[in-house]
Amino acid sequence: MFRTALRNVLAHKARLLMTVLAVMLGVAFVSGTLVFTSTISDAFQNSSQKGYANVDVAIEPTRGEHPTGKPGAVPRLDQKLLDAAGRVPGAASATATVSGFTAIADKKGELIGNGFSTLGGNYFPGKDGKDARYPLRDGAAPKGPREFALDAGTADKAGYKVGDTVRISVDGPVREQQLTGIYTTDDGTVAAGGSLALFDTATAQKLFATPGAFSEIDVKAAPGTSQAALKAAIDKVLPKDGAEATTGKELADDQAESIAQSMDGMKTGLLAFAGIALFVGIFIIANTFTMLVAQRTKELALLRAVGASRRQVTRSVLIEAFLVGAVAAIAGLAAGIGIGAGLRALMSTMGATVPDGPLVISLSTVLTSLVVGIVVTVLAAWLPGRRAAKIPPVAAMNSVHAAATTKSLVVRNTIGALIAGAGAAAVLVATGMDDGKAMMGGGAVLLLIGVFILTPLLSRPLIALAAPVLRAFGISGKLARQNALRNPRRTAATASALMVGLTLITGMTVIAGSVQKGIDKMATDALKADYVVSMATRTPLSPDVAKKLDGLAEVTAISPLRNSPSRIGTGSGATTEYLTGVNGKDFGKLTRLDFTQGSLGDLRGGAALVDEATAKEKGWRVGSRLPVTYEDGKKDALRVSGVYQGNEMIRGILLDNATLAPHQRHATDMQVMVKTKDGATDTAKDSLVKALGKNPAISVSDKKDVSDGIAQMFSLMLNMLYGLLAMAVIVAVLGVINTLAMSVFERQQEIGMLRAIGLDRRGIKRMVRLESLVISLFGGVLGVGLGVFFGWAAGELISGSLATYELVLPWDRMALFLGLAAVVGILAALWPARRAAKLNMLAAIKAE
């Protein structure tokens, strides 16, 4: 039976090609994901280990709340602790570090780098006047508040040389610093493409912390001293509260675990789409083996007649599937390695901060790829193999075995209706739940499976709707419709592959469009301010920015938004809450809040506004008295003067900055809302930008910019999903091609007869193309319909957290998706139609 299976695989190489391609694409997606995430994770971990190479023990502020109980207090590491750590037995040296965000402008005034990869720190010279962490390539170490050093990669990228004046920004205002030194480093952030500006320690403390305070103290062990022994010695000199020591190995292990966890999310997401592609490929595999079994009815029946058991026949089909799966898995693994390398190169090209490192191909990746490819193929072929075993020997007298009985179709439709009904009910129930994500996900899967089972039943009425259009194509159109309906199961399996992809694409599009509309509405409804000023990287903003803007003649109202931790309540019932300080005098001119209780009124003194969700959770209402402990430890009481509907832009406990500021140790603003005399105009915006020194690190955004900024992540995510789901659509295209090609082979005698009685080659081509078009549009209609339903259902959950959410049906996109389904049908039919038209009519008539 093994030789028989091998002979059958070799005899049907062309017919199995599309199955191999479908499985190969799915496996390539899996192996590419594993190679890519392993490579990135390994690169970050190696970079992290380099960063801890000179750290045997690190002293850091104690995590969690300050031992004094002050909500905003941060434990300090000072010079006294640094000196004590350097003197402990077994310590070779102690280095103090201070770090924070630092934006650097290039010579054109544009921001170099992005986000949190643009950092600043301190140059900490040893006894020899040099910092071993940062060997100087050019120039000298920074000294004084106007000097700094820059990493070689950033300096070369921007074209800076020693002696140049560089514009930088730490928390808003532009600073002009003289570049005194260019250095090389193994720092992980720099190795990943980020930038690192170094100042002398006193300047760094002033910029990133407080005078005399450090962020971390790193101790290097003397030769022969272990990290554990050094840590034990350091523990003895640590203050009772406020600081803790950790070995370099523990830090590296924690960092490695953190990197692995951060990569898990990406890996899970990519593997989910690989699973979708493989799920779609199952339809192709099952279709292919079903048709092969049908075409080999005589052969299989004769095997039974000469003594082969049912088990042997099933095993023969499964061996074929194993061989096909093995070939596809090996090819997919090779392609996946290429995909992983390509994605790594693409990230570097796009400017992502990823360290260099070798391509990682682990044994687990190889085994997973092989197992996935083989198991998926064998499982998908099991049902056709089981059907093959049931063919009675007497069927050898007929060309094809008996069609499915009415009873089997009734059973199938009943099961499908029950599953689809249960899935739809679960989705509908989930829309009314506070946290119905799990139920909705389960219901969606059930509904999708139920619709797939019902697809043969649905194919007749939906394809019948195309009859009037097909009549315009004469006999070719009529034959195309009949061919599509001849085998509903085959048509259903072919259309379902496309249906899955379009369901997901349509659902995501509906959700993204609706969220975007909700965000636009929220920005329009909630903001009366013309501009929102913030750091481009969303880091804290210096209060000097608000002061500078407040002095402009065109500014009529201004309010910085300032966060501060606090403890609300008394005793063990107190909870940590963040207070948001605003300009009580101008806040009403800059925002439009909907109040469910009370009003904005005069937001001064001890008056506070609370968002509805927080008020409901805490049981607060207008007039409620809130005992508060500010970040400096002083106690007072706030009075709730209004309860408003919060949103993504404004939420939490609001009070006047005049009340909050005296209790803040280091005041910083998250953003500044500004209203100008003539509204949002180009002139007004230019005036604000110029007043801030054309600072590349500061963003001046109008309402549309704010809305686009919030929605940008949704747009980026949607575009990524389109790219990932394209794999499923490509696999679906292969399925249509495969089905049509095998259908043409199966019907070659029929096609020969049609040619003999007068249907020309053009008519044959048209018939195959129209059949493909009808099947693809059938799958497209089902996919778009299900996608809209799932998009609506998911929107009902989202509306609970986004009050301005509004369902938007993207008619243009849905029309485009149906057009895409039509194009898929036409393109998929090109080769099968050409093959059908080229059949020799006499040879085809004689074919069996």
Side-chain angles (χ1 to χ4, degrees), residues 759-777:
L759 190 61
D760 60 10
R761 289 185 174 181
R762 183 178 296 177
I764 294 293
K765 282 184 180 179
R766 189 183 299 124
M767 176 188 73
V768 176
R769 283 198 295 262
L770 289 173
E771 180 184 350
S772 175
L773 182 63
V774 166
I775 293 172
S776 296
L777 282 176

Side-chain angles (χ1 to χ4, degrees), residues 51-94:
Y52 290 116
N54 293 316
V55 180
D56 289 310
V57 175
I59 304 173
E60 300 172 299
T62 304
R63 296 179 180 89
E65 192 172 313
H66 191 274
T68 63
K70 298 177 183 179
V74 177
R76 285 169 49 124
L77 307 180
D78 54 20
Q79 186 68 41
K80 181 180 177 182
L81 180 58
L82 174 64
D83 294 339
R87 289 193 300 264
V88 300
S93 63

Side-chain angles (χ1 to χ4, degrees), residues 438-790:
M439 177 171 279
M440 184 169 288
V445 171
L446 282 177
L447 180 56
L448 202 59
I449 293 172
V451 170
F452 164 64
I453 296 172
L454 287 173
T455 307
L457 179 66
L458 298 172
S459 65
R460 290 192 174 277
L462 288 178
I463 291 177
L465 294 175
V469 178
L470 293 174
R471 283 196 198 101
F473 295 94
I475 190 65
S476 295
K478 183 178 181 181
L479 289 170
R481 185 175 67 84
Q482 290 176 346
N483 287 335
L485 293 173
R486 176 185 296 182
N487 192 330
R489 295 189 182 203
R490 183 189 303 166
T491 298
T494 306
S496 294
L498 192 59
M499 176 191 77
V500 172
L502 287 182
T503 295
L504 295 170
I505 289 174
T506 304
M508 295 296 180
T509 304
V510 170
I511 294 168
S514 301
V515 168
Q516 175 71 64
K517 181 69 178 289
I519 291 171
D520 289 341
K521 192 171 186 296
M522 178 182 66
T524 304
D525 291 351
L527 276 183
K528 284 198 260 181
D530 296 315
Y531 296 101
V532 174
V533 180
S534 62
M535 292 293 285
T537 51
R538 304 302 175 206
T539 50
L541 195 66
S542 168
D544 292 341
V545 171
K547 291 177 184 177
K548 189 166 287 189
L549 294 176
D550 196 20
L552 298 179
E554 52 265 65
V555 173
T556 58
I558 187 168
S559 175
L561 267 65
R562 184 175 298 172
N563 285 343
S564 174
S566 71
R567 296 281 289 178
I568 302 291
T570 57
S572 60
T575 58
T576 300
E577 304 287 344
Y578 272 84
L579 305 176
T580 301
V582 299
N583 184 347
K585 178 171 65 73
D586 286 347
F587 191 62
K589 301 174 186 176
L590 299 163
T591 59
R592 188 183 291 107
L593 299 180
D594 293 329
F595 283 84
T596 56
Q597 296 180 42
S599 63
L600 178 59
D602 189 13
L603 190 60
R604 293 187 181 182
L609 305 177
V610 182
D611 70 275
E612 188 177 23
T614 302
K616 185 177 179 181
E617 179 188 349
K618 305 291 185 182
W620 298 338
R621 52 184 296 109
V622 169
S624 294
R625 185 177 175 277
L626 313 180
V628 58
T629 303
Y630 292 106
E631 65 173 274
D632 62 354
K634 292 186 178 179
K635 300 180 185 296
D636 201 348
L638 298 175
R639 179 182 54 81
V640 178
S641 60
V643 177
Y644 66 94
Q645 291 183 355
N647 54 52
E648 294 297 317
M649 300 174 65
I650 301 172
R651 63 173 58 185
I653 304 170
L654 310 178
L655 70 161
D656 189 17
N657 270 327
T659 304
L660 182 64
H663 302 289
Q664 290 188 282
R665 184 174 50 86
H666 182 59
T668 56
D669 300 329
M670 293 311 297
Q671 61 184 38
V672 179
M673 295 187 291
V674 180
K675 193 167 184 63
T676 55
K677 193 182 302 178
D678 299 321
T681 63
D682 291 340
T683 304
K685 186 171 184 176
D686 288 342
S687 178
L688 299 182
V689 171
K690 286 178 182 176
L692 297 172
K694 294 185 177 179
N695 192 332
I698 295 181
S699 169
V700 179
S701 309
D702 59 20
K703 290 180 185 179
K704 187 176 185 309
D705 294 332
V706 171
S707 173
D708 290 346
I710 297 173
Q712 187 177 13
M713 61 177 178
F714 292 102
S715 300
L716 179 63
M717 189 183 302
L718 186 64
N719 291 333
M720 288 178 61
L721 291 174
Y722 281 162
L724 294 169
L725 289 172
M727 181 72 75
V729 175
I730 291 171
V731 174
V733 172
L734 294 177
V736 178
I737 296 173
N738 196 42
T739 299
L740 287 173
M742 296 186 72
S743 180
V744 165
F745 178 84
E746 189 179 86
R747 293 173 2 221
Q748 58 181 322
Q749 190 175 51
E750 173 190 320
I751 291 170
M753 290 294 295
L754 290 171
R755 289 289 317 284
I757 61 175
L759 190 61
D760 60 10
R761 289 185 174 181
R762 183 178 296 177
I764 294 293
K765 282 184 180 179
R766 189 183 299 124
M767 176 188 73
V768 176
R769 283 198 295 262
L770 289 173
E771 180 184 350
S772 175
L773 182 63
V774 166
I775 293 172
S776 296
L777 282 176
F778 170 52
V781 168
L782 283 180
V784 170
L786 281 173
V788 169
F789 176 71
F790 290 143

Side-chain angles (χ1 to χ4, degrees), residues 176-187:
E176 292 192 344
Q177 303 279 140
Q178 184 180 8
L179 182 61
T180 62
I182 296 174
Y183 64 89
T184 58
T185 180
D186 288 331
D187 182 274

Side-chain angles (χ1 to χ4, degrees), residues 19 98 129 175 251 308 374 498 568 639 703 783 787:
T19 299
V98 186
R175 299 171 57 92
L251 289 173
I374 293 170
L498 192 59
I568 302 291
R639 179 182 54 81
K703 290 180 185 179

